[in-house]
Amino acid sequence: AQSVTQLDSQVPVFEEAPVELRCNYSSSVSVYLFWYVQYPNQGLQLLLKYLSGSTLVKGINGFEAEFNKSQTSFHLRKPSVHISDTAEYFCAVSERRGGGSEKLVFGKGTKLTVNP
Amino acid sequence: SQTIHQWPATLVQPVGSPLSLECTVEGTSNPNLYWYRQAAGRGLQLLFYSVGIGQISSEVPQNLSASRPQDRQFILSSKKLLLSDSGFYLCAWSSERTTGNTIYFGEGSWLTVV
């Protein structure tokens, strides 16, 4: 079974500082990888995804992530954060299910707090 | 474009009362549909998924059930709520026509059982 580990439950940073949110996964097969963002009291919004090809994936709001197969990692980065980036971030790996449905296995989330 | 609607947004229910959360998807046909629950500090847990009308798979044994009476409608129900059913419930959809079968979420429903 696939699993996802988000190494930090909370990450406080100052505005305009760089940030990296770490994600490691375990899988015996090829995977699709995702990052979702959840603002307070809202649903999850897709930030970016890795399906194939270039290992560096760019997403919305200036975020990017790099797929590292040898380290089984998919860390999320942003060179300069804003107050509005304060949210919870979820890493997820896709697992193919019978019948074609995809089951997303989520990490427990990382709460990013950007301070002025 | 595709949209997903989920209601009610918030719900406060007494223990032992029934529950019905509804979700509809627009702009696509034959989607895969999902119900997730998010409890504080526990991440997201997949409760049910459906690949077609009347086809429901349950991920964990629990006090809840799901139904799909129409192609783009997914309902989460309970006959008698427990305190432990409190949480944030998220409906989601995906399509086999989307590469990687990306899952898209609704805005969620807050359920507080008192």
Side-chain angles (χ1 to χ4, degrees):
Chain A
Q2 296 173 337
S3 66
V4 177
T5 301
Q6 290 184 244
L7 298 164
D8 305 297
S9 60
Q10 297 190 44
V11 174
V13 295
F14 288 108
E15 193 173 18
E16 298 183 5
V19 71
E20 178 179 83
L21 306 183
R22 296 181 291 171
C23 172
N24 288 88
Y25 69 93
S26 66
S27 174
S28 57
V29 299
S30 297
V31 297
Y32 301 135
L33 293 159
F34 304 81
W35 276 99
Y36 285 83
V37 59
Q38 185 179 33
Y39 299 103
N41 298 316
Q42 295 186 23
L44 274 72
Q45 179 182 359
L46 180 67
L47 202 55
L48 50 80
K49 60 184 176 183
Y50 170 78
L51 305 178
S52 64
S54 173
T55 57
L56 183 64
V57 180
K58 293 189 182 298
I60 62 172
N61 301 340
F63 284 92
E64 63 181 30
E66 186 160 17
F67 170 55
N68 188 319
K69 187 175 181 179
S70 63
Q71 297 186 6
T72 61
S73 68
F74 191 53
H75 300 332
L76 181 71
R77 302 186 183 100
K78 186 170 182 178
S80 176
V81 294
H82 303 292
I83 298 287
S84 59
D85 291 324
T86 294
E88 190 157 19
Y89 293 80
F90 292 91
C91 182
V93 61
S94 171
E95 173 183 286
R96 184 164 292 279
R97 303 281 292 181
S101 68
E102 294 290 346
K103 174 186 175 183
L104 276 189
V105 177
F106 284 88
K108 292 191 180 298
T110 298
K111 288 186 178 179
L112 174 66
T113 303
V114 181
N115 298 302
Chain B
S1 64
Q2 300 88 2
T3 57
I4 179 169
H5 303 283
Q6 183 180 345
W7 68 94
T10 59
L11 199 59
V12 180
Q13 291 285 97
V15 169
S17 65
L19 170 72
S20 180
L21 299 179
E22 191 164 340
C23 171
T24 59
V25 180
E26 297 176 358
T28 188
S29 60
N30 196 32
N32 301 318
L33 296 172
Y34 310 82
W35 279 110
Y36 283 84
R37 176 169 59 199
Q38 187 176 21
R42 297 181 62 182
L44 286 112
Q45 180 185 36
L46 179 62
L47 302 176
F48 301 95
Y49 74 93
S50 171
V51 299
I53 296 174
Q55 301 178 60
I56 309 294
S57 296
S58 175
E59 288 295 299
V60 293
Q62 58 204 313
N63 185 41
L64 301 168
S65 62
S67 61
R68 185 170 176 173
Q70 300 180 44
D71 181 45
R72 291 169 290 171
Q73 183 185 26
F74 205 26
I75 298 172
L76 183 69
S77 304
S78 174
K79 292 182 179 178
K80 291 185 178 182
L81 284 168
L82 306 172
L83 286 174
S84 58
D85 292 323
S86 294
F88 191 49
Y89 289 83
L90 290 155
C91 183
W93 71 275
S94 68
S95 170
E96 294 181 5
R97 291 181 291 277
T98 304
T99 305
N101 220 356
T102 304
I103 290 180
Y104 298 94
F105 288 85
E107 288 301 309
S109 298
W110 277 108
L111 171 64
T112 304
V113 183
V114 297

